[in-house]
Amino acid sequence: MIESVFMNKIIHPEISDIIVLPNQIEAVKASSRKIIEAVQKNHEVSITYATGNTMIPVYAELAKAVKAKEVDFSNTKAFHLDEYYPYSPQGEFSFVRFLNEKVFIPLNIPESNRNLLDGTAKDGYNEAKRYDALVSRGIDIAILGIGPGEHIGFNERNTPFDSRTHLAQLSDETVYRDQVERGQDTPGKALTQGIGTILEAKSILMIAYGENKGKYLKNALYGEITPYSPASALRLVGDKVCIVIDKRAADILVD
Ligand code: GLP
């Protein structure tokens, strides 16, 4: 039970809920608990799943809860935030592959309830359009991380706040992280839900831990609200945003 754990809140003028947990493990538990409770309340909830290292332990917690029969995801609808393009779903760093392995299979989400971006589509523009129509039917919870240049999904700096799902050119910073720091052979383009698409979700859960993420968040939450900082767009819909962070990120935020 997370109630027994020290949990602090940061008061922010626009974001209704910023929850600080003492460490990453507790932040993971608190955020997965939120997702589990949402599914327990509504078995048919639609969820957009981010990928990335931040999410690995969160999805592992969800899988544990499913195994323990605490929660049933089999009627939920799953959506995808972003995918490299062009890129095969079998590719080592494919986000489809990530979701299959860490979300869809362990959470027993049937194929018919998985809505995926196709990184092998011949025409990326049409694929983005097709996918945006699917997402626009309504997302209950969008799970987000934050990345280089304060990006959300693969919406890099200067992406318009009203952007829809589109084919994005990745920034030098993101390509450096992917290809140099993480040694990935991934392309410099990606399909991503747009900022406008993401902001339409009924609720948004952002999860971030560590100092680096604290730095991104500091700019996004306390700098100017501007497309130069894609995550700052969350402040436009702050009443439906919950951000779960660990103390290491929070220390940077309040510094
Ligand atoms: C990636 C993805 C995002 C993800 C973010 C953080 O580039 N496009 O959807 O949230 O960057 O990733 P990580 O958790 O691995 O740091």
Side-chain angles (χ1 to χ4, degrees):
M1 296 298 284
I2 59 165
E3 285 75 21
S4 61
V5 171
F6 167 78
M7 194 165 75
N8 213 341
K9 293 211 178 206
I10 292 178
I11 307 297
H12 185 275
E14 290 114 9
I15 306 287
S16 62
D17 217 8
I18 304 180
I19 304 175
V20 183
L21 279 300
N23 53 48
Q24 182 178 320
I25 293 175
E26 297 303 337
V28 165
K29 280 195 204 157
S31 35
S32 56
R33 185 50 45 196
K34 280 189 172 290
I35 301 164
I36 291 166
E37 281 167 7
V39 176
Q40 285 169 334
K41 237 187 244 166
N42 173 6
H43 292 205
E44 294 183 2
V45 78
S46 297
I47 302 179
T48 288
Y49 292 90
T51 56
N53 294 342
T54 309
M55 300 303 155
I56 293 174
V58 177
Y59 298 155
E61 279 293 310
L62 300 183
K64 262 202 252 166
V66 167
K67 224 173 163 188
K69 301 210 182 318
E70 240 184 86
V71 62
D72 178 6
F73 278 76
S74 62
N75 291 310
T76 63
K77 288 173 201 74
F79 289 82
H80 191 175
L81 183 61
D82 46 14
E83 174 63 305
Y84 293 105
Y85 184 87
Y87 204 66
S88 156
Q90 276 87 42
E92 191 181 346
F93 304 102
S94 158
F95 291 164
V96 171
R97 181 172 172 163
F98 177 106
L99 291 177
N100 276 329
E101 289 173 359
K102 304 195 179 355
V103 176
F104 303 150
I105 295 167
L107 304 189
N108 303 321
I109 299 175
E111 259 176 62
S112 52
N113 288 0
R114 305 174 192 170
N115 298 282
L116 295 167
L117 280 160
D118 180 4
T120 66
K122 271 212 183 92
D123 184 331
Y125 296 94
N126 280 339
E127 173 56 8
K129 222 170 140 193
R130 175 196 74 83
Y131 195 73
D132 202 71
L134 281 181
V135 180
S136 300
R137 290 185 196 160
I139 299 294
D140 295 300
I141 311 169
I143 304 171
L144 300 181
I146 186 166
E150 297 131 56
H151 75 206
I152 49 175
F154 270 132
N155 293 284
E156 304 285 24
R157 291 197 192 282
N158 297 321
T159 305
F161 282 172
D162 62 355
S163 52
R164 309 303 308 177
T165 306
H166 62 283
L167 184 56
Q169 181 72 49
L170 302 184
S171 68
D172 291 348
E173 243 180 310
T174 299
V175 170
Y176 183 85
R177 178 202 63 175
D178 287 350
Q179 297 181 2
V180 180
E181 291 178 1
R182 297 188 174 176
Q184 298 181 184
D185 62 348
T186 43
K189 284 190 180 161
L191 291 161
T192 182
Q193 285 193 27
I195 296 178
T197 319
I198 293 170
L199 297 189
E200 278 172 8
K202 286 194 194 134
S203 66
I204 295 173
L205 173 64
M206 173 174 271
I207 308 166
Y209 17 76
E211 279 170 31
N212 245 349
K213 302 293 168 113
K215 283 182 204 156
Y216 299 152
L217 274 175
K218 186 164 185 160
N219 290 335
L221 296 181
Y222 295 102
E224 213 188 313
I225 300 179
T226 159
Y228 188 71
S229 171
S232 71
L234 297 180
R235 289 156 64 191
L236 300 175
V237 295
D239 56 332
K240 59 179 180 182
V241 175
C242 172
I243 303 180
V244 178
I245 55 179
D246 68 349
K247 189 171 176 307
R248 283 192 307 147
D251 283 347
I252 304 279
L253 259 192
V254 297
D255 189 26

